[in-house]
Amino acid sequence: MNQKVLILIKPDGLKKSLTGNILTRLSETKLEIVAAKMVRVSHELAAEHYKHLKDKPFFDELVRYLQGELHDRKKVMALIYWGKDAIQKCRGLAGATNPEEADPTSIRGSYGRITTKGLYENVIHVSSNPEEAEREIKLWFDPDEIIVDLYPAKEIEVPPAKKRVWA
Ligand code: IDP
Ligand code: MG
């Protein structure tokens, strides 16, 4: 079954200069990249992304982590992979949530760590099911930032607004 999946290279992955390694590992899947961008992550975006964990004791630290507050890297790389069994393939390469329990050859097993505060810094996010992928893709991307039509979209009239252009 063709699926789409949101991948985030988290701030620790960027700080450790792992972008190339992670993309190389993901290329083993032969999936297609249909969107990619660098994102400055607001508190609102990070909290919304991880809202299913808002009652966990590590939630505030997790939001700070995704915002880059722990790594002096206030950005993440967001990508959408698309193709057959995309979620299972990417989750498999990523490895278990806890980097100490992840297969040592997986991305998280190779590069993740547990901080002294107990947060799992696991360098990559991968959506875990199609419903979560849809919610997350719509949270991180607008339709026109994706080179294929993944979900129904509509056109709306946007009132004239100020926009930055090259000087
Ligand atoms: P996932 O990233 O494997 O889908 P989730 O349960 O969705 O796992 O958790 C989101 C993120 O929250 C994890 O990737 C990890 O960074 C962090 N996290 C999850 N569970 C724990 C925990 O028990 N202790 C510390 N950090 C955790
Ligand atoms: Mg998850």
Side-chain angles (χ1 to χ4, degrees), residues 1-156:
M1 186 185 39
N2 265 358
Q3 293 177 325
K4 34 265 179 188
V5 60
L6 179 82
I7 305 275
L8 301 177
I9 301 180
K10 296 181 178 183
D12 51 330
L14 296 176
K15 180 148 189 180
K16 291 174 176 173
S17 239
L18 292 171
T19 308
N21 303 48
I22 291 169
L23 297 181
T24 300
R25 297 293 300 276
L26 290 171
S27 71
E28 290 168 26
T29 61
K30 306 273 174 31
L31 297 165
E32 195 180 334
I33 299 173
V34 294
K37 63 178 177 180
M38 301 302 300
V39 186
R40 276 195 194 280
V41 183
S42 65
H43 183 276
E44 291 68 31
L45 176 58
E48 184 63 22
H49 178 79
Y50 280 134
K51 69 176 182 185
H52 60 293
L53 298 170
K54 68 175 184 322
D55 297 329
K56 299 284 186 191
F58 56 83
F59 179 72
D60 288 347
E61 191 73 354
L62 181 61
V63 167
R64 280 172 28 84
Y65 167 37
L66 195 63
Q67 282 189 265
E69 302 278 344
L70 311 181
H71 294 93
D72 186 29
R73 284 286 187 289
K74 298 217 166 81
K75 60 193 171 194
V76 305
M77 185 170 191
L79 305 105
I80 303 171
Y81 281 75
W82 183 63
K84 190 169 184 304
D85 299 328
I87 294 175
Q88 183 208 331
K89 285 178 182 163
C90 293
R91 293 280 304 185
L93 280 176
T97 305
N98 179 340
E100 281 188 2
E101 289 172 359
D103 182 314
T105 65
S106 68
I107 295 169
R108 288 168 163 181
S110 301
Y111 304 123
R113 68 168 197 140
I114 302 180
T115 67
T116 47
K117 285 191 176 169
L119 186 71
Y120 302 164
E121 278 185 7
N122 49 17
V123 304
I124 183 175
H125 167 82
V126 183
S127 315
S128 54
N129 59 58
E131 294 71 34
E132 188 178 276
E134 177 172 356
R135 185 185 85 83
E136 293 176 353
I137 287 169
K138 289 178 175 176
L139 179 65
W140 288 83
F141 287 90
D142 285 334
D144 286 343
E145 294 178 306
I146 308 172
I147 60 160
V148 290
D149 284 335
L150 296 181
Y151 304 105
K154 62 182 179 186
E155 284 193 331
I156 57 167

